[in-house]
Amino acid sequence: MARTKEFDPDAALRSALELFWRRGYEATSMADLVERLGIGRASVYATFGSKRELYLKALDRYNESRDAELLAELSRPGPVLPAVRTVLRRFAAEATSEEQRGKGCFVTNTATELGARDPAAARRVEASWAHLETLLHSALARARAQGELSEDRDPRALARMLLVLMQGLRVVGKASDDPGRVRDAAEQALGLLD
């Protein structure tokens, strides 16, 4: 008869996500994970696989939660540009908040730490960025169709510019002591939507 798990795998995954997000892949040891999750090493391996597999599962969980929020915000009926502005300003605010400053963005952190040497991590990063670009492109195409965005504006190019800016906001916000850099960049980008 199989033993039942004496811990909540979902809660353990959330704890692992927080630890990896704050410290990164390399700086997080299996001993750190065992301590943070409060479960034995054998249980970690049996439930999640290797440290790398656990990291990738945590990254998947992060992407699922972020994607759902962005989809809901950018696909509401009615005027679109206010939602795009809200999303960009939220990214800027999060990038400079005390809570986020030390962590940055889990996807951006993965891109800079593992993207060049871990194909599975790079695929997840690219999928996340492609999804965000698609959400932004769809929203901006709707904005143009509704007359909120000038006909001479290219929704795809604007979406790509916003994606790159949003990721850059996360990097600069994590490393800079000057939140004005992030806020000013976001506001300048929003001016391109007028």
Side-chain angles (χ1 to χ4, degrees):
M1 181 179 220
R3 290 181 53 185
T4 57
K5 292 196 185 310
E6 297 177 6
F7 67 94
D8 179 355
D10 191 58
L13 182 57
R14 282 193 309 272
S15 291
L17 188 160
E18 284 296 321
L19 187 60
F20 282 130
W21 188 359
R22 187 165 300 284
R23 297 184 68 189
Y25 178 77
E26 292 296 336
T28 303
S29 68
M30 185 54 83
D32 295 331
L33 289 163
V34 166
E35 181 181 331
R36 174 69 179 255
L37 277 54
I39 59 177
R41 183 180 297 257
S43 292
V44 173
Y45 285 121
T47 304
F48 302 108
S50 68
K51 174 181 138 179
R52 180 175 172 274
E53 290 171 304
L54 176 54
Y55 184 89
L56 294 174
K57 288 174 183 171
L59 182 57
D60 289 342
R61 172 61 59 84
Y62 177 85
N63 282 332
E64 290 164 7
S65 65
R66 293 296 288 189
D67 289 350
E69 293 171 19
L70 290 169
L71 176 61
E73 191 141 20
L74 293 173
S75 62
R76 288 189 184 116
V80 180
L81 289 185
V84 173
R85 287 185 178 93
T86 296
V87 165
L88 188 58
R89 286 183 175 126
R90 188 177 73 230
F91 265 69
E94 288 173 357
T96 58
S97 75
E98 278 303 311
E99 179 186 347
Q100 291 291 98
R101 189 157 182 272
K103 294 191 314 187
C105 168
F106 196 24
V107 172
T108 307
N109 295 350
T110 300
T112 58
E113 182 180 12
L114 300 176
R117 61 188 167 95
D118 186 323
R123 280 192 302 275
R124 284 166 169 84
V125 167
E126 181 55 39
S128 175
W129 288 345
H131 187 253
L132 177 54
E133 181 182 319
T134 299
L135 290 174
L136 290 166
H137 174 243
S138 176
L140 293 167
R142 272 192 7 251
R144 192 167 79 173
Q146 292 174 185
E148 297 174 73
L149 191 61
S150 171
E151 281 295 322
D152 66 342
R153 298 299 174 116
D154 179 352
R156 170 76 63 204
L158 282 171
R160 288 181 168 178
M161 183 272 304
L162 290 174
L163 166 71
V164 171
L165 175 76
M166 291 160 89
Q167 297 309 302
L169 294 176
R170 300 295 188 151
V171 172
V172 173
K174 184 175 179 177
S176 177
D177 288 332
D178 183 1
R181 283 184 178 139
V182 170
R183 282 193 307 271
D184 289 348
E187 291 304 317
Q188 287 301 305
L190 289 173
L192 297 175
L193 301 178
D194 294 329

